[in-house]
Amino acid sequence: MENSTGSSRKELIEELERLKQEHRDMDDVIARLQEHAPFDQLQLVRLKKKKLNLKDSMNRIESQLLPDIIA
């Protein structure tokens, strides 16, 4: 079964898992950066923004995987 973007459910699940792993990795990178003071605030902001973008992508895929309850 394909959704409106043409991706199969299996492809969406695989992409979601990849994004989740990247999101966890980003947590680790941010934590390591903050351990070593002083750290580059601009780099921290960029990493946090990328992490937020990953979360947004994960949410979009999750919404595609869930059937519309309100139709």
Side-chain angles (χ1 to χ4, degrees), residues 33-41:
L33 178 66
Q34 291 176 319
E35 287 173 0
H36 305 292
F39 53 85
D40 184 347
Q41 286 289 333

Side-chain angles (χ1 to χ4, degrees), residues 26 29-31 33-34 39-51:
M26 193 64 58
V29 170
I30 290 169
L33 178 66
Q34 291 176 319
F39 53 85
D40 184 347
Q41 286 289 333
L42 183 58
Q43 183 182 15
L44 180 64
V45 168
R46 287 178 179 156
L47 291 170
K48 286 185 174 184
K49 185 173 182 176
K50 182 173 181 177
K51 184 180 168 195

